[in-house]
Amino acid sequence: MITLLVNGESHQVDLPPDMPLLWALRDVLGLTGTKFGCGIAQCGACTVHLGGEAVRSCLLPLAGVAGRPVTTIEAVGATPNGARVQKAWLDTEVVQCGYCQSGQIMSATALLNKVPQPTDADIDAAMAGNICRCGTYVRIRKAIHTASQA
């Protein structure tokens, strides 16, 4: 049995320790906001927070997560920066198709948790691993700046 602490709740799961966190979140816990994109931790769609750090859940084995706090897109809005980022996303109309947006929001929130007033260079560096096939990068940057001013 592995204990997962997800969005403030403890879950006992009987899963292989090498199973990626993404599949435990989606298939076992029913938290489908975290998306599967590439499966090789390159696109960012599966981004969650592990102890406050933005991490890719598609390759992260459960053994490396056990007992550590995980926050998903379903709960990030309950945090001050997460709420500001989500509001800025809506106000700026960032979303086009929306598939990558949960990972984008998780990465943006982690950035603001570390750098409250990021520069364009800070934003570009923090968001570099998040791919948006619709190309909403200009709106993403604007939304992050908006959230940082709130």
Side-chain angles (χ1 to χ4, degrees):
M1 292 297 276
I2 297 173
T3 301
L4 297 178
L5 181 58
V6 180
N7 298 334
E9 295 182 21
S10 182
H11 303 272
Q12 293 287 324
V13 294
D14 188 13
L15 299 169
D18 61 344
M19 173 185 265
L21 174 61
L22 174 64
W23 301 118
L25 294 173
R26 292 183 58 80
D27 296 346
V28 178
L29 301 181
L31 299 171
T32 58
T34 304
K35 304 297 184 200
F36 173 80
C38 65
I40 57 172
Q42 296 295 305
C43 74
C46 68
T47 302
V48 298
H49 293 174
L50 178 61
E53 298 288 322
V55 298
R56 306 298 193 247
S57 64
C58 68
L59 291 181
L60 185 61
L62 293 178
V65 177
R68 298 173 65 194
V70 175
T71 304
T72 68
I73 190 69
E74 287 86 356
V76 78
T79 68
N81 279 331
R84 282 193 284 279
V85 168
Q86 287 180 339
K87 182 178 182 330
W89 240 246
L90 293 172
D91 291 349
T92 309
E93 298 181 357
V94 170
V95 179
Q96 194 160 322
C97 86
Y99 197 82
C100 71
Q101 295 307 306
S102 58
Q104 301 276 2
I105 288 169
M106 296 304 289
S107 291
T109 301
L111 168 62
L112 292 182
N113 289 342
K114 287 183 179 178
V115 183
Q117 300 292 314
T119 64
D120 284 349
D122 294 330
I123 293 169
D124 292 348
M127 303 302 289
N130 291 82
I131 297 172
C132 174
R133 292 182 187 181
C134 301
T136 64
Y137 301 112
V138 172
R139 293 192 307 249
I140 288 169
R141 184 188 288 162
K142 181 179 178 185
I144 294 170
H145 281 300
T146 298
S148 74
Q149 302 303 314

